[in-house]
Amino acid sequence: MRADLEVADIFRVAGPAYRAAHAGHLSQQHLKVMSAIENCRTAALGGHVEACEDCGQWRIAYNSCRNRHCPRCQGAAARTWLAEREADLLPIGYFHVVFTLPAEVADIAFHNKALVYDLLFRAASETMLTIAADPKHLGARIGITAVLHTWGSAMMHHPHVHMIVPGGGIALDGTRWVSSRPAFLLPVKVLGKLFRRLFLTRLLTLHDAGRLVFFGSMAHLAERRAFLHYLSPARKKRWVVYAKPPFAGPEAVLAYLSRYTHRVAISNRRLIRFDEDGVSFRYKDYRRDGADRQQVMTLATDEFIRRFLLHVLPRGFHRIRHYGLLAGGSRKDCLALARELLAAAPPVTNDPPAEPDDFRPPCPCCGGRMIVIEVFERCRQPRGPPGARTTNRETAP
């Protein structure tokens, strides 16, 4: 169901003026994201016309942009991804672990997104795998699904990684399954200390190799002594690693993943109003408790667009990654061994139906089947059958 107000509506109205005002300061990636969202499911991307075989009603279906930053396109992408991941779930409890960068490092990440976001993934995953393999803790190889988020509820820059981790792993000798305690996976203080050391050591290596860039008020950090001085507070403070209580079974894991894996900076359902005063939206104020946590914020339209574009990822950057038992080509064999050690049945694979399923959508008028009667290219308008009843359907083909 289409929301009353969407990010696309804001971009279509205010986008041209924003691009003109910030010409020369927007990257090609920013411009592509804005254009994709503005054109999503409009005649600019083309589409097709469907007609009912029974009653003759017809409707237009415009193509989606499929951009990963588009709030409208992520629902279908999430459903497809979840269907592929469902077979990976084990019949055990799962934990939710979050690794967050302190503010000093987040500022560096803003100017070096690809490098620092990648380092965040690598340091966090290595921390989990190292501590889990330590016989003093779990003594096992674990699996991790990690998802990068770069925003807080108010759309400010706040890079952190969410991890979904099974409550246990395969013993280092591969002979048995080692279960974690029901409500405890790994000590967060130990995780935080190792995460801080790994991240800062490798961040300094990147700096020494001349791979980090700095602009504006941070330009002086290109000098090594200034860089070390800047990071001094981060070396002394506790780095936050948060482990939430375990999920109540694999179904709850899927429900969580459906909300988090393909989330963008703000969903359309959080938008309230867009007028001459700016954009109003709902957000969570984590300094408050209870009902007071839900608040409403109004931003000037330019500021809203600026905050949204803060979270455009570098081209080709993977924001969902798998480690340990779930990594790459070894995932299938590792999961099969885990199920064997857990004495769990393998996932059910449905036999292909004797006849292919009919994927044609039902007619909203009589319930009959809709067939494609015309395909039209980008920036072209459909002809449509003359005199027939029509509706608009704004869904991806």
Side-chain angles (χ1 to χ4, degrees):
M1 180 178 296
R2 189 184 189 277
D4 292 336
L5 175 62
E6 299 188 348
V7 171
D9 300 323
I10 299 168
F11 277 19
R12 289 176 191 133
V13 173
Y18 186 87
R19 284 188 285 266
H22 299 275
H25 298 283
L26 294 174
S27 70
Q28 190 66 24
Q29 188 73 354
H30 288 144
L31 296 174
K32 286 183 177 180
V33 169
M34 292 184 70
S35 177
I37 294 175
E38 290 170 13
N39 293 327
C40 187
R41 301 182 194 185
T42 69
L45 297 183
H48 61 269
V49 180
E50 303 168 337
C52 179
E53 293 178 311
D54 298 329
C55 71
Q57 175 161 313
W58 63 284
R59 63 189 176 186
I60 300 170
Y62 292 118
N63 293 337
S64 66
C65 68
R66 299 186 181 181
N67 189 287
R68 60 176 171 171
H69 301 93
C70 176
R72 295 194 69 186
C73 290
Q74 295 312 298
R79 288 190 293 271
T80 300
W81 187 84
L82 285 173
E84 296 171 352
R85 297 279 77 78
E86 188 171 6
D88 293 349
L89 291 175
L90 298 171
I92 57 175
Y94 279 72
F95 288 82
H96 176 195
V97 183
V98 184
F99 286 79
T100 302
L101 292 179
E104 297 89 347
V105 179
D107 290 340
I108 296 173
F110 180 74
H111 295 287
N112 301 272
K113 289 183 176 181
L115 285 173
V116 179
Y117 292 167
D118 180 70
L119 178 54
L120 169 58
F121 268 119
R122 290 189 290 112
S125 60
E126 185 175 333
T127 295
M128 289 291 293
L129 295 172
T130 300
I131 300 302
D134 190 335
K136 293 187 295 183
H137 299 292
L138 194 61
R141 293 186 294 131
I142 60 172
I144 300 169
T145 294
V147 183
L148 173 70
H149 284 183
T150 63
W151 56 85
S153 188
M155 298 172 60
M156 296 299 288
H157 189 235
H158 177 62
H160 55 286
V161 164
H162 294 264
M163 290 183 171
I164 303 299
V165 186
I170 298 175
L172 301 182
D173 60 6
T175 60
R176 60 191 177 89
W177 178 266
V178 180
S179 296
S180 67
R181 283 184 269 172
F184 180 84
L185 180 63
L186 296 169
V188 293
K189 289 186 177 180
V190 174
L191 292 173
K193 288 180 180 179
L194 179 58
F195 175 51
R196 179 182 62 191
R197 178 168 63 81
L198 290 176
F199 189 97
L200 291 178
T201 299
R202 292 172 184 177
L203 185 65
L204 182 58
T205 299
L206 289 174
H207 186 278
D208 289 342
R211 300 183 63 189
L212 300 179
V213 296
F214 304 95
F215 304 98
S217 62
M218 301 185 70
H220 67 287
L221 297 186
E223 199 275 319
R224 193 176 195 271
R225 181 175 297 180
F227 185 72
L228 291 173
H229 178 74
Y230 176 81
L231 289 180
S232 180
R235 294 181 183 278
K236 299 172 184 176
K237 68 169 58 175
R238 178 189 173 192
W239 285 36
V240 177
V241 178
Y242 178 54
K244 294 186 177 181
F247 294 100
E251 295 80 9
V253 177
L254 286 179
Y256 167 83
L257 288 174
S258 68
R259 295 193 303 269
Y260 273 79
T261 52
H262 291 72
R263 181 175 285 185
V264 296
I266 187 170
S267 62
N268 289 325
R269 61 184 176 81
R270 288 174 56 198
L271 300 175
I272 299 174
R273 187 175 62 255
F274 171 45
D275 53 27
E276 62 276 5
D277 294 327
V279 182
S280 298
F281 60 93
R282 288 183 291 271
Y283 78 103
K284 291 181 180 178
D285 185 348
Y286 290 98
R287 296 169 298 182
R288 302 170 183 257
D289 294 321
D292 289 339
R293 176 164 287 187
Q294 292 288 342
Q295 297 287 317
V296 173
M297 176 180 293
T298 299
L299 297 175
T301 304
D302 270 22
E303 175 63 11
F304 177 87
I305 295 176
R306 186 193 73 84
R307 291 195 189 187
F308 186 94
L309 295 179
L310 288 177
H311 310 292
V312 171
L313 293 175
R315 182 179 179 182
F317 189 88
H318 295 279
R319 61 172 174 164
I320 305 174
R321 304 187 184 186
H322 307 278
Y323 299 94
L325 302 181
L326 300 178
S330 64
R331 180 176 69 238
K332 185 176 180 180
D333 292 339
C334 288
L335 289 173
L337 176 58
R339 290 192 177 93
E340 179 183 339
L341 297 175
L342 286 165
V348 177
T349 55
N350 296 324
D351 295 328
E355 297 182 1
D357 292 332
D358 188 350
F359 292 108
R360 292 176 297 174
C363 173
C365 180
C366 70
R369 290 295 172 183
M370 306 291 284
I371 60 173
V372 176
I373 62 173
E374 179 189 351
V375 175
F376 54 96
E377 300 299 327
R378 291 169 178 262
C379 301
R380 298 287 299 274
Q381 290 294 334
R383 295 187 302 273
R389 290 170 293 170
T390 179
T391 59
N392 263 355
R393 182 168 72 93
E394 295 180 318
T395 57

